[in-house]
Amino acid sequence: MSTTYSSLQQVLHEDPVFGQLSFDGHEQIIFCNDKDTGLKAIIGIHNTVLGPALGGTRMWNYENEWAALNDVLRLSRGMTYKSAITGLNLGGGKAVIIGDAKTQKTPELMRKFGEFVHSLSGKYITAEDVGMATEDMDTVREVTPYVTGISQDKGGAGNPSPITAYGVFMGMKAAAKFKYGSDILEDKRIYVEGIGNVGENLVEYLTQEGADVVIADLNQDRLEQVRDKYGATIYGGDDLYGEQMDIYAPCALGATINDSTIHRIQADIIAGAANNQLANEQKHGAELMKRGIVYAPDFLINAGGIINVYAELEGYDRSEIMRKTENIFTTTVEILNRAKENNVTTYQAAFEIAKARIDARRSELAAI
Ligand code: NAD
């Protein structure tokens, strides 16, 4: 037994959970297992200083459990800083369900997952992410109140993706203003990678503004639908990152800016919805800065969805949601300018502001 464990350690070079590279002082990590429904999930609670940890549930056919754990650790951490920089009184959390959302997601599995969420008594509040739909959150709502993103006819704010897309559009415009002196995206060549819930809505905003939009996705049917609906061009090449473009909008999964892609990227601006776009925030953030590519930090510009679900908790109306989401433009311009003035990466500039807010609240709480 000990031989097996130590050889496993040699392979991994790290302790199983707290020693993971992505572990960042997370408060709690919950492994959920249910034999009857086949549920295997991990809930990551990164930080609850500003409030309950709110973040969506992703269902994905992970290559292995390490990949799932790594994802939930990175995603929950990102949520902490996203809510902090957006001025919401929420902490950061996220959940992943291991499996194929198309074939393995059942109402029983979702209800069982909801029971695990409920057992945390509100410390973690869930919502939808990749592989989840509003109806799935409605199912979770049957067993716990600690869920957002439920249908409007059930008292929720509905699918957050259109609002997320609007926020990304605002962040992209802000980056254009910073780079080109104008926020007008007409005629800009923009590659949208991933045209799911958020990507499609983003394509709608961009084509309405007259941008030259190129779309890429693994799903061919979807590509054709979105092309026909908005007049976008389907990408036909085999090196998207190396293509000449003005703006690259990553809207699929994270870490597409990594050691193998970063040197090929030709864009002036990177602004998209995907969480954790930089495989390594420090290293790849610095590389983009060196190459003069403006990176609009993902956790800053994709906050529309969290604003939308937060509205469910606070009772905001639609106009307040849109106002707060529109504000992403101003915050992004401020952060990009601040990064330039202080000669730091845009990721670092955004991160420092978010962290300062959490530290201030932590001091307040300690003084009580
Ligand atoms: P989605 O599942 O609806 O869409 C993802 C799309 O990406 C799918 O069409 C999928 O086929 C495609 N895709 C997956 N891998 C790909 C690849 N290698 N190349 C090209 N396409 C690929 O998800 P979504 O809700 O649109 O979210 C997209 C991203 O935005 C995710 O990273 C998510 O975490 C992030 N995000 C979403 C929200 C939201 O409100 N939905 C909020 C904040 C962040």
Side-chain angles (χ1 to χ4, degrees), residues 58 60 75 79 82 94 102 128-132 159-165 168 192-200 216-219 222 240-241 250-254 256 272-276 298 302-306:
R58 173 173 293 186
W60 192 254
L75 289 166
M79 292 310 294
K82 185 186 309 202
K94 203 90 182 183
K102 286 202 189 81
E128 51 267 79
D129 190 65
V130 175
M132 288 290 145
N159 181 359
S161 304
I163 309 291
T164 302
V168 171
V192 181
E193 182 186 36
I195 44 153
N197 287 317
V198 182
E200 177 179 347
D217 202 288
L218 302 176
N219 184 332
R222 205 161 164 88
L240 184 144
Y241 306 105
C251 295
L253 297 187
T256 55
N275 285 308
N276 302 326
D298 48 11
N302 71 11
I306 191 94

Side-chain angles (χ1 to χ4, degrees), residues 232-310:
T233 308
I234 297 177
Y235 180 57
D238 57 8
D239 182 19
L240 184 144
Y241 306 105
E243 296 292 335
Q244 283 293 336
M245 64 183 89
D246 297 305
I247 302 174
Y248 164 46
C251 295
L253 297 187
T256 55
I257 299 148
N258 55 46
D259 284 344
S260 81
T261 60
I262 196 157
H263 298 289
R264 288 157 36 216
I265 294 175
Q266 302 289 322
D268 295 331
I269 292 170
I270 299 176
N275 285 308
N276 302 326
Q277 292 165 23
L278 306 180
N280 179 320
E281 284 103 6
Q282 275 72 33
K283 181 181 171 192
H284 299 127
E287 184 65 32
L288 292 177
M289 182 178 163
K290 203 168 106 196
R291 298 191 48 211
I293 299 173
V294 176
Y295 171 62
D298 48 11
F299 69 90
L300 170 65
I301 73 167
N302 71 11
I306 191 94
I307 293 170
N308 193 58
V309 295
Y310 186 62

Side-chain angles (χ1 to χ4, degrees), residues 166-187:
Y166 186 59
V168 171
F169 182 55
M170 289 294 112
M172 191 184 282
K173 276 179 155 297
K177 176 94 184 147
F178 178 83
K179 182 81 184 178
Y180 307 121
S182 163
D183 67 2
I184 295 169
L185 298 174
E186 191 179 2
D187 295 333

